Amino acid sequence: MGTEGARTDRLGLLLDQFDRAREMAQVRLAGLSDEEYLWEPVPGCWSIRRRGVAVTPRAFGPGEWVLDLGAADIPANEYAEVARQAAGGMTVAKIADDWGVSVGRVEQVLSHTGVPEPDAAPVTTIAWRLGHLHSCFAGGWEWTFGERREDPKLLVDFTPFAALALERFWAVVDCWRGSVAAVTDEELDRVGFSQYPYGSDPDDRYVEVLSGTNLEFIHHMAEIALLRDLWGARFTARG
């Protein structure tokens, strides 16, 4: 891919990275069917489910369909992030509140003594990955550029239909992308420019929030791409 005309300012680099990742993601999502969207490759997957049959304790959404979410904990792969937050000046109480866990649990992670092994991360469906990203972008816009009032968990009406989910998702992403493109250098460096309530956004410079958003988008879209590959190969005979 050529670099002619590429921007070299901080915002430009982040937007170029996001735009290229988005372009690849849209190609990879072409032709997504409802069956594939909801496919559960193993028992016990997290997905979207009708409210009355969801079994995860913190499943959320404003409508008939909700997004699975398990009991609050700090995954092992986030221990370093918790340490970074504490080193950066966040209080243990604030970290605990962000993760929805007890102060004692955070202290265990920070001390690395007697830390219970967390449950293995659940396998998720494409529907879950898209729903999670949709909620993140909707909440990120509301709590940065919007009224900073609506709970991110109530912003997305999840759907079992792949085409409708994608249509709604890209519309929210477009809204977010348009607002981000107008962010100033001063706003990039402003701590708390995003007040997104789940995580460390209120304690971070917005340029760090944007970098994290790009990584979140890229890694979830890579996982969706892998799920599509597994779906396509599910009936392939073993050699």
Side-chain angles (χ1 to χ4, degrees):
M1 186 176 294
T3 58
E4 183 178 353
R7 292 169 57 175
T8 57
D9 59 289
R10 293 180 301 168
L11 181 59
L13 287 170
L14 289 168
L15 288 176
D16 284 350
Q17 180 190 49
F18 180 81
D19 290 345
R20 293 183 183 188
R22 175 197 167 137
E23 181 180 355
M24 289 186 284
Q26 285 185 295
V27 171
R28 278 299 245 147
L29 282 164
L32 182 66
S33 68
D34 295 345
E35 185 181 9
E36 183 180 2
Y37 170 70
L38 293 169
W39 176 55
E40 298 190 23
V42 297
C45 284
W46 283 6
S47 189
I48 61 166
R49 307 190 188 282
R50 292 187 186 277
R51 184 175 298 276
V53 300
V55 295
T56 48
R58 296 192 296 156
F60 67 88
E64 179 184 4
W65 293 81
V66 294
L67 191 75
D68 276 324
L69 186 63
D73 197 4
I74 303 174
N77 62 355
E78 296 288 357
Y79 289 173
E81 172 62 14
V82 170
R84 183 196 69 79
Q85 291 173 339
M90 286 183 67
T91 66
V92 171
K94 177 65 167 62
I95 295 171
D97 184 60
D98 284 347
W99 286 99
V101 298
S102 68
V103 167
R105 175 62 173 140
V106 176
E107 290 173 340
Q108 283 183 327
V109 170
L110 292 173
S111 67
H112 297 289
T113 58
V115 179
E117 192 67 26
D119 293 336
V123 176
T124 64
T125 64
I126 292 175
W128 191 92
R129 296 283 173 188
L130 279 176
H132 170 70
L133 281 175
H134 194 166
S135 179
C136 288
F137 277 100
W141 189 91
E142 165 69 14
W143 286 84
T144 307
F145 309 105
E147 296 182 358
R148 298 182 174 184
R149 183 178 61 187
E150 297 292 332
D151 186 338
K153 293 180 179 180
L154 300 177
L155 290 173
V156 178
D157 188 12
F158 302 109
T159 174
F161 303 111
L164 180 58
L166 286 170
E167 178 185 345
R168 292 173 175 175
F169 173 67
W170 292 124
V172 167
V173 168
D174 285 343
C175 181
W176 174 87
R177 170 64 170 78
S179 295
V180 167
V183 169
T184 66
D185 272 345
E186 185 275 329
E187 289 166 338
L188 281 178
D189 286 320
R190 186 184 302 167
V191 174
F193 184 60
S194 169
Q195 289 291 311
Y196 185 78
Y198 302 120
S200 62
D201 285 19
D203 302 297
D204 293 337
R205 295 184 303 150
Y206 193 56
V207 68
E208 296 168 331
V209 174
L210 286 181
S211 177
T213 299
N214 281 10
L215 292 176
E216 186 80 354
F217 180 84
I218 290 167
H219 94 74
H220 280 297
M221 284 300 177
E223 289 159 341
I224 287 171
L226 175 59
L227 285 169
R228 296 213 72 183
D229 289 341
L230 293 173
W231 167 265
R234 67 198 186 285
F235 296 130
T236 302
R238 295 180 179 179

